[in-house]
Amino acid sequence: MRKSYRKLLLMLCVAFATPVSYSKESPTLHWVKNDAPPFYIVDNDCQQGFGDQVQTVLEKRLKNYRHSTLFVPLSRLEHTWQEYNPLCFVTMIHEKPVNNEYLLSMPNAMYLPHGIITTNRYADTLPLQADGTLALEELLEHRKVSMGHIAGRTYSEKLDSILRRQRKNIEINSRAGATETQGILTMLSLGRFDFVIEYEFVLNHYVDSADYADQLRFIPISETRGDFILGAVGCSNSEAGQLAIKHINEALPELVQSRAYRRAVANWLVPVGDEVHYWNRFDKVLEDYLGHPVKPKTTLRQPIADQQN
């Protein structure tokens, strides 16, 4: 009964959040979400995460499509791109693709870099730098660690390369299925592994919703300190997907300047107490990257959990 109520509530939230008109002849554009707050908030009482809000704004601008939303674990996404062609996913990283199943839009978001989230107890054993960051590669060269990982997840190209080089010293504990993000942070809180690699705003959301959150700490990674990560929309690598990307690229320059988009960024991506730095950096990135058809490199990369040295 409780699950049925949540599904009904979610359907109502989506229905009232995205009032889009279209003709009966309009093609259907399928969107995928996963249970990864604060990107997507499934058990939400009508609260929308960052990806939810950006998708809503895009749907309103893409009036030549019908819109349908699917809920798919990240580990299944690779097998879903062509099954629901064209399928689009709002919160991709604008870097080398993991496979040939999808295409990327121009950059449309800026995330501050990943760090590690770990328990307070484990954090006290780490050799932190004077600025409070962790040299990840140096740690992995000298210590065997266990790491929580959401199946199918990749990080920035720089971090993926470090993890591949040091793979022999990492025991990876993968999690797939529903409630991936909350589940893996709860496992971390219970001491099932040493750390996860994640964005700080993911921990900030978890702190507000979980029982064990005060046991966790975010530590910046020195190799990526000062970097940023570009986000993009991914769509099926097909003729229909290429057309969807074309329409999305046409909509993005206006979208990223809109009040709705800026509000979504402010709600989820801006660090508390660091707002001025973030927005100054964001506006510079917007000028240099967003709204321009920058293409990612075409060389494929693989999820780190599939790599063995």
Side-chain angles (χ1 to χ4, degrees):
M1 178 66 71
R2 184 175 177 83
K3 289 184 178 179
S4 298
Y5 170 77
R6 286 179 177 175
K7 287 182 179 179
L8 176 60
L9 178 62
L10 180 59
M11 291 171 64
L12 290 172
C13 291
V14 172
F16 286 109
T18 57
V20 180
S21 61
Y22 48 76
S23 71
K24 292 182 179 180
E25 293 75 28
S26 300
T28 298
L29 180 55
H30 303 282
W31 297 91
V32 64
K33 297 183 180 183
N34 59 341
D35 191 3
F39 288 104
Y40 304 98
I41 302 177
V42 175
D43 187 9
N44 61 5
D45 294 331
C46 288
Q47 183 185 29
Q48 287 197 313
F50 175 72
D52 295 312
Q53 293 180 62
V54 175
Q55 179 182 319
T56 295
V57 176
L58 272 172
E59 287 184 13
K60 291 178 179 178
R61 281 163 169 74
L62 301 177
K63 296 181 179 180
N64 50 325
Y65 288 99
R66 294 169 176 259
H67 297 280
S68 171
T69 296
L70 309 167
F71 294 89
V72 180
L74 192 58
S75 59
R76 292 291 307 161
L77 183 58
E78 179 181 353
H79 308 288
T80 311
W81 289 112
Q82 302 306 323
E83 183 178 355
Y84 293 93
N85 177 36
L87 179 76
C88 295
F89 188 40
V90 170
T91 52
M92 303 287 289
I93 292 180
H94 193 275
E95 282 197 334
K96 297 177 183 178
V98 175
N99 54 55
N100 288 314
E101 298 298 316
Y102 64 89
L103 307 163
L104 292 171
S105 73
M106 65 179 68
N108 73 311
M110 186 194 85
Y111 307 117
L112 297 184
H114 302 86
I116 73 163
I117 299 176
T118 188
T119 60
N120 293 325
R121 177 180 298 181
Y122 189 74
D124 290 339
T125 74
L126 294 174
L128 301 185
Q129 308 292 307
D131 61 357
T133 64
L134 174 71
L136 182 61
E137 184 144 29
E138 182 178 339
L139 174 75
L140 298 178
E141 283 179 352
H142 297 96
R143 183 187 300 191
K144 290 187 179 296
V145 302
S146 58
M147 171 181 156
H149 177 254
I150 295 173
R153 179 76 181 272
T154 63
Y155 309 101
S156 66
E157 184 177 351
K158 188 181 293 185
L159 290 184
D160 289 344
S161 297
I162 291 174
L163 295 171
R164 284 196 299 270
R165 285 195 296 271
Q166 302 300 332
R167 180 64 177 86
K168 64 182 182 299
N169 283 336
I170 309 171
E171 175 191 332
I172 290 184
N173 299 266
S174 288
R175 180 182 175 89
T179 65
E180 295 166 319
T181 301
Q182 179 149 346
I184 209 157
L185 289 175
T186 299
M187 292 170 68
L188 174 63
S189 300
L190 297 174
R192 303 289 177 80
F193 34 79
D194 297 327
F195 64 82
V196 299
I197 293 177
E198 195 48 274
Y199 297 106
E200 185 174 14
F201 58 77
V202 172
L203 177 60
N204 292 341
H205 178 269
Y206 183 73
V207 165
D208 294 333
S209 60
D211 295 332
Y212 307 103
D214 59 350
Q215 300 178 22
L216 300 181
R217 187 186 310 178
F218 177 86
I219 300 175
I221 295 172
S222 61
E223 288 92 339
T224 57
R225 189 67 178 267
D227 291 353
F228 60 86
I229 295 172
L230 292 175
V233 181
C235 294
S236 305
N237 186 3
S238 64
E239 184 175 345
Q242 291 175 15
L243 184 59
I245 287 289
K246 176 178 180 294
H247 292 149
I248 289 168
N249 280 340
E250 291 170 352
L252 285 178
E254 180 183 352
L255 179 145
V256 299
Q257 297 286 359
S258 69
R259 291 174 64 89
Y261 177 82
R262 296 276 175 143
R263 191 182 310 116
V265 172
N267 288 344
W268 295 116
L269 305 187
V270 181
V272 175
D274 203 19
E275 291 86 355
V276 173
H277 171 76
Y278 180 91
W279 285 113
N280 286 340
R281 187 69 182 273
F282 180 90
D283 287 336
K284 182 65 167 64
V285 171
L286 191 72
E287 179 183 342
D288 291 345
Y289 293 93
L290 309 188
H292 300 285
V294 180
K295 293 184 178 180
K297 298 176 183 178
T298 56
T299 305
L300 297 183
R301 59 191 176 99
Q302 294 180 336
I304 58 98
D306 296 338
Q307 297 291 320
Q308 293 284 351
N309 285 343

